[in-house]
Amino acid sequence: MTVLGQQARAAARQMRNASGQTKTQALRAMARLLDTKKEELQAENAKDLIAAEKNGLEPALLDRLRLSDKALATMAAGLRQIADMPDPVGSLTASSTRPNGMRVAQMRVPLGVIGIIYESRPNVTIDAAALCLKSGNATILRGGSEAIHSNVALGTIIGQGLAEAGLPSHAVQVVGTTDRAAVGQLVTLTDYIDVIVPRGGKGLIARLAREAKVPLLKHLDGNCHVYIDSAANLDKAHDITVNAKTYRYGICGTMETLLVHTDIAASILPRLGQTFKEKGVELRGCERTRTLLPQALPATQEDWETEYLAPILAVRIVDTLDEAMDHIARYSSEHTEAIITENLSAATRFQREVDSSSVYVNLPTCFADGFEYGLGAEIGISTNRLHARGPVGLEGLTTLKWVLAGDGQLRG
Amino acid sequence: MTVLGQQARAAARQMRNASGQTKTQALRAMARLLDTKKEELQAENAKDLIAAEKNGLEPALLDRLRLSDKALATMAAGLRQIADMPDPVGSLTASSTRPNGMRVAQMRVPLGVIGIIYESRPNVTIDAAALCLKSGNATILRGGSEAIHSNVALGTIIGQGLAEAGLPSHAVQVVGTTDRAAVGQLVTLTDYIDVIVPRGGKGLIARLAREAKVPLLKHLDGNCHVYIDSAANLDKAHDITVNAKTYRYGICGTMETLLVHTDIAASILPRLGQTFKEKGVELRGCERTRTLLPQALPATQEDWETEYLAPILAVRIVDTLDEAMDHIARYSSEHTEAIITENLSAATRFQREVDSSSVYVNLPTCFADGFEYGLGAEIGISTNRLHARGPVGLEGLTTLKWVLAGDGQLRG
């Protein structure tokens, strides 16, 4: 791992100075190679699929592992899309001239070396490498052992793309070992890795957070809330709430607890209860909720704390906006929360005072995604407070350095 | 420490929503109290001074510890200056409207709870508390044991200022114990402290970096370089180099190694040698340097690595701009580096390719300071790559959250 780190650090210095054109060329070459080398890739992928089937991997996970024609075409399209995005490196911001005539500005530059630790999906190998490369970083990719043959084969394609553009071969390195100790080493290589983006289940991320000395760009939980205010429009409240829960059960922006103002509860909850029944969503409610929705099971303390990632929803009736915000402050994982209201003052207070990485007015929490925000793509979502917060795109993979220019001004 | 942390976390929620006006009022009240309570402050300070003298503290350090009339007036002026700065909280950036009509923006918000760990100077108690308060954060201040009576007395003033403005008393807490274990506890309170800014010697910061689980906004070393290019103007090169070394020997932006292009070495080094001799700066040079400056001692590998913080300068002659940048990449602490040149292409390459938190053209490295950059004040200088880099002002004590507003748009 240390050797990989040293090689990445050396490559990062070259990558930092690579032109936008060169990086675009490498990404386009990779997209082309995904198509022309399809058979080789699928042959390597087949080895992973056979092993996974033998190990009894669930069909849904097998499907994610498969490099089908469609999956490869999607990856190639993603590469071309990232290739076409503007180069974030080198732009100047916060430019000013000081009273003594010296010019001060901040220049956007790559972070350096980025580690990506992820589980089974081999498409992450391409997506993450592309975003890190576009932003001028060197990358070390450590995927799941189930996808090792696929990832190494994709690493070869990436290497060929780098070579075609004249970029250093160590700019993207796929860890070729499935040794679990490798992950523990990666997260402590503070001399060689600037930040690690872990993508995977809560178990993996919690373990990394305990062991890491390298900063992690991560979120652990997406315990997201929707609050239906007393001044909500009933139709919007219904549709937003249903969308927030049922767009997809397994994503981090899915609503897990619904808070409803007591004045509107009788008007909205029975209707929502009917829809959630039709959709097969199990409800767990506070006592007052259960008088309006007898179908709901009693909610416990644990329900307020849980990210179900499943067709289950906790529901609680509150007396005031403040009570809703208190509940959120106590239980939220600071990922994404939404208010549904037509009242400007309630909307403004909620958006100012709720301290989560994303705070919405009249929108479902499932919009939490870099592409939806206009970032073009995302490397992940962060609930860290430092550096990037919320969906992280190319900009979150860069940093700012100060650049000053003068003509011999002296201090003192 | 856990109780302090919990109190800070609770206060942070109130501070987040405090108006700019309220924060200004608190800062102005503190400035006034520094004057009206001068006698009490100086009586407490005298206890520290007597103990320090008994313990044989050096005169320079005694001087820093003293809350003289002038020192208190400077602190009050600093408070008023920070009070007058624009409130960084609540401003919106990166605003856009997505194709579906939803509006996306980023809102600047406080980081939350900030820990400050510092050594003897009691003025840090006021300066750091003021910057953290202005940016809407709660603060825990842990100063050196030599200043404990002064710091606790200043903490009382701060508390009175908070009370006058109706802000929570736990918004600023001065740790009242001199127990060294307290520091070790503070840096692991990840549930209650969002970031710690350590200010002090390298020993303290290195120790904290080893123990910390809370992110540190820090720099360890300021091993800063000036490179005199072959196309440098000789007068500017002389004056900038002398200023970079002699403005103050003990600050982190002081030049510690001078790199000189071989083509200009014979024209500039003897003149610089003469000036440094007059100023009492000891030179340590590479072999080629020593043929031009026989007064210079031989430089060893260790000299390239050392931040002297003293009237000592390492000098090395290089053959090319690339050799200078290689030296910097190898030995620099990524704090501040400067090129002196009239050649646009050399200036552009240096500023783009040198990977330090500040990179200058034709300016001395000793300008590395938030006030000089126009930040109004600084909490410290960071050589971290994530979050704030270089001098850190109010903005570095804040973060951005995403705020989205819509009218019932749904996903999918």
Side-chain angles (χ1 to χ4, degrees):
Chain A
M1 288 301 123
T2 304
V3 172
L4 284 188
Q6 288 165 336
Q7 289 170 345
R9 182 59 79 204
R13 201 176 153 200
Q14 290 175 262
M15 282 304 296
R16 206 162 68 217
N17 303 319
S19 70
Q21 205 171 18
T22 308
K23 294 182 284 187
T24 301
Q25 192 191 339
L27 292 167
R28 294 198 160 277
M30 291 172 200
R32 181 171 37 72
L33 288 161
L34 281 184
D35 186 43
T36 56
K37 306 272 181 175
K38 194 162 74 178
E39 280 75 24
E40 284 117 292
L41 283 170
Q42 289 176 335
E44 290 301 306
N45 182 236
K47 297 182 191 167
D48 289 331
L49 290 170
I50 290 166
E53 259 181 302
K54 237 185 237 160
N55 293 330
L57 206 69
E58 287 171 45
L61 293 178
L62 268 180
D63 215 46
R64 287 184 175 189
L65 184 54
R66 192 181 315 276
L67 293 178
S68 64
D69 286 6
K70 195 182 157 216
L72 288 170
T74 305
M75 286 154 68
L79 282 169
R80 291 197 179 95
Q81 190 210 326
I82 293 169
D84 287 342
M85 288 169 71
D87 188 349
V89 174
S91 66
L92 294 178
T93 51
S95 164
S96 71
T97 300
R98 300 293 301 148
N100 68 358
M102 71 184 191
R103 297 182 303 286
V104 176
Q106 288 182 287
M107 184 186 283
R108 194 161 288 286
V109 293
L111 276 179
V113 177
I114 297 176
I116 314 278
I117 297 174
Y118 52 109
E119 292 178 332
S120 59
R121 303 171 63 158
N123 66 308
V124 174
T125 308
I126 293 292
D127 296 350
L131 285 167
C132 294
L133 190 154
K134 179 79 185 188
S135 49
N137 295 287
T139 322
I140 298 175
L141 295 152
R142 207 311 182 161
S145 52
E146 323 80 57
I148 184 73
H149 293 98
S150 312
N151 287 337
V152 168
L154 289 167
T156 305
I157 299 287
I158 292 168
Q160 287 168 352
L162 290 168
E164 274 194 33
L167 289 172
S169 62
H170 295 136
V172 181
Q173 299 179 87
V174 172
V175 177
T177 168
T178 57
D179 179 6
R180 283 199 64 175
V183 170
Q185 278 180 278
L186 271 184
V187 297
T188 57
L189 286 182
T190 48
D191 285 346
Y192 305 117
I193 304 184
D194 295 298
V195 64
I196 285 176
V197 185
R199 295 185 43 162
K202 193 178 166 179
L204 171 73
I205 295 173
R207 176 192 149 205
L208 295 179
R210 275 194 307 274
E211 297 177 7
K213 292 300 286 177
V214 177
L216 302 180
L217 219 61
K218 62 157 203 314
H219 73 276
L220 269 176
D221 277 314
N223 188 11
C224 302
H225 298 72
V226 170
Y227 165 59
I228 303 179
D229 184 49
S230 57
N233 171 293
L234 289 175
D235 289 335
K236 281 186 216 167
H238 175 270
D239 294 352
I240 291 172
T241 304
V242 172
N243 191 233
K245 185 68 219 180
T246 66
Y247 167 66
R248 280 195 203 159
Y249 296 118
I251 61 173
C252 55
T254 296
M255 167 182 66
E256 304 291 12
T257 294
L258 173 67
L259 303 167
V260 184
H261 192 284
T262 184
D263 291 351
I264 204 171
S267 317
I268 188 75
L269 278 182
R271 190 171 153 196
L272 279 172
Q274 183 58 36
T275 308
F276 282 130
K277 194 175 178 181
E278 287 160 17
K279 301 257 183 191
V281 175
E282 175 188 320
L283 300 180
R284 303 188 185 172
C286 68
E287 269 184 48
R288 286 198 280 174
T289 299
R290 295 183 67 228
T291 63
L292 291 168
L293 294 175
Q295 75 200 76
L297 302 170
T300 65
Q301 172 78 9
E302 208 191 325
D303 285 300
W304 311 131
E305 293 165 354
T306 300
E307 182 188 21
Y308 300 114
L309 296 171
I312 307 172
L313 176 68
V315 186
R316 181 173 186 179
I317 292 177
V318 295
D319 289 324
T320 59
L321 169 62
D322 281 292
E323 197 184 325
M325 293 198 292
D326 285 344
H327 180 102
I328 290 170
R330 180 152 176 210
Y331 296 109
S332 154
S333 58
E334 300 186 0
H335 191 293
T336 302
E337 332 293 339
I339 186 174
I340 309 175
T341 189
E342 301 299 311
N343 180 298
L344 180 61
S345 135
T348 305
R349 277 200 63 204
F350 189 88
Q351 206 150 41
R352 272 204 66 134
E353 297 183 22
V354 170
D355 190 30
S356 296
S357 68
S358 291
V359 188
Y360 299 171
V361 173
N362 291 331
L363 290 169
T365 51
C366 57
F367 269 119
D369 173 275
F371 188 79
E372 296 290 341
Y373 285 26
L375 302 181
E378 72 173 32
I379 193 90
I381 292 184
S382 164
T383 55
N384 293 2
R385 304 185 66 83
L386 266 65
H387 196 68
R389 205 173 170 206
V392 181
L394 287 176
E395 202 174 282
L397 301 177
T398 64
T399 181
L400 294 168
K401 71 179 178 191
W402 293 92
V403 289
L404 275 70
D407 196 33
Q409 285 86 346
L410 303 179
R411 188 166 181 197
Chain B
M1 289 301 121
T2 304
V3 172
L4 285 188
Q6 287 165 337
Q7 290 170 346
R9 180 60 79 206
R13 200 175 153 201
Q14 289 174 263
M15 283 303 297
R16 207 162 66 217
N17 303 319
S19 71
Q21 206 171 17
T22 309
K23 294 182 285 187
T24 301
Q25 191 190 340
L27 292 166
R28 294 198 160 277
M30 291 172 200
R32 181 172 37 73
L33 288 161
L34 280 184
D35 186 43
T36 56
K37 305 273 181 175
K38 194 163 74 177
E39 280 75 24
E40 285 118 291
L41 284 170
Q42 288 175 335
E44 290 301 306
N45 182 236
K47 297 182 190 168
D48 289 332
L49 289 169
I50 290 166
E53 259 182 300
K54 236 184 238 161
N55 294 330
L57 206 70
E58 288 170 43
L61 294 178
L62 268 180
D63 215 46
R64 288 184 177 190
L65 183 54
R66 191 180 315 275
L67 293 179
S68 64
D69 286 6
K70 195 182 156 214
L72 288 170
T74 304
M75 286 154 68
L79 281 169
R80 292 197 179 94
Q81 189 209 326
I82 293 169
D84 287 341
M85 288 169 69
D87 188 348
V89 174
S91 67
L92 294 179
T93 51
S95 162
S96 70
T97 300
R98 300 293 302 150
N100 68 357
M102 69 184 191
R103 298 181 303 286
V104 177
Q106 288 181 286
M107 185 186 284
R108 193 162 289 287
V109 293
L111 276 178
V113 178
I114 297 177
I116 314 278
I117 297 174
Y118 53 108
E119 291 177 333
S120 58
R121 303 172 65 157
N123 65 308
V124 173
T125 308
I126 293 292
D127 296 350
L131 285 167
C132 294
L133 190 154
K134 180 78 184 188
S135 49
N137 296 286
T139 322
I140 297 175
L141 294 153
R142 208 307 183 166
S145 53
E146 322 81 57
I148 184 71
H149 293 97
S150 313
N151 287 337
V152 168
L154 289 167
T156 305
I157 299 286
I158 292 169
Q160 288 168 351
L162 290 168
E164 276 195 32
L167 289 173
S169 62
H170 295 137
V172 180
Q173 297 179 90
V174 172
V175 177
T177 168
T178 57
D179 179 6
R180 283 198 63 174
V183 170
Q185 278 180 276
L186 272 184
V187 298
T188 57
L189 287 182
T190 48
D191 284 346
Y192 305 116
I193 305 183
D194 295 298
V195 64
I196 285 176
V197 185
R199 294 182 44 160
K202 193 178 166 178
L204 171 73
I205 295 172
R207 175 193 149 204
L208 295 179
R210 274 193 308 275
E211 297 176 8
K213 292 300 285 178
V214 177
L216 302 180
L217 219 60
K218 62 156 205 314
H219 73 276
L220 269 175
D221 276 314
N223 188 10
C224 301
H225 297 73
V226 171
Y227 164 59
I228 303 179
D229 184 50
S230 57
N233 170 293
L234 290 175
D235 289 335
K236 282 187 216 167
H238 174 269
D239 295 352
I240 292 172
T241 304
V242 172
N243 191 234
K245 185 68 220 180
T246 66
Y247 167 67
R248 280 196 203 159
Y249 296 118
I251 61 173
C252 56
T254 296
M255 165 183 66
E256 304 292 10
T257 294
L258 173 66
L259 303 168
V260 184
H261 192 284
T262 183
D263 291 352
I264 205 172
S267 318
I268 188 74
L269 278 182
R271 192 172 152 197
L272 279 172
Q274 184 57 36
T275 307
F276 282 129
K277 194 173 179 181
E278 288 159 17
K279 302 257 182 188
V281 175
E282 176 188 320
L283 301 179
R284 302 189 186 171
C286 67
E287 267 184 50
R288 286 196 281 174
T289 299
R290 296 183 67 226
T291 63
L292 292 168
L293 293 175
Q295 75 201 76
L297 301 171
T300 65
Q301 171 77 10
E302 209 191 325
D303 285 299
W304 312 131
E305 293 164 355
T306 301
E307 181 187 21
Y308 299 114
L309 296 171
I312 306 172
L313 177 68
V315 185
R316 181 173 186 177
I317 293 176
V318 295
D319 290 323
T320 59
L321 169 62
D322 282 293
E323 198 184 325
M325 293 199 292
D326 285 344
H327 180 103
I328 290 170
R330 180 153 175 208
Y331 296 109
S332 156
S333 58
E334 301 186 0
H335 191 293
T336 301
E337 333 291 341
I339 185 173
I340 309 175
T341 189
E342 302 298 312
N343 180 298
L344 179 62
S345 134
T348 306
R349 277 200 63 202
F350 189 88
Q351 207 151 39
R352 272 202 67 134
E353 297 183 24
V354 170
D355 190 30
S356 296
S357 69
S358 291
V359 188
Y360 298 172
V361 173
N362 292 331
L363 290 169
T365 50
C366 57
F367 269 119
D369 174 274
F371 189 80
E372 297 290 341
Y373 285 25
L375 301 182
E378 72 172 31
I379 192 88
I381 291 184
S382 164
T383 55
N384 293 1
R385 304 185 66 83
L386 265 67
H387 196 68
R389 203 173 172 206
V392 181
L394 287 177
E395 201 173 284
L397 300 177
T398 64
T399 181
L400 295 168
K401 71 178 177 191
W402 293 93
V403 289
L404 274 71
D407 197 33
Q409 285 87 345
L410 304 179
R411 188 166 180 196

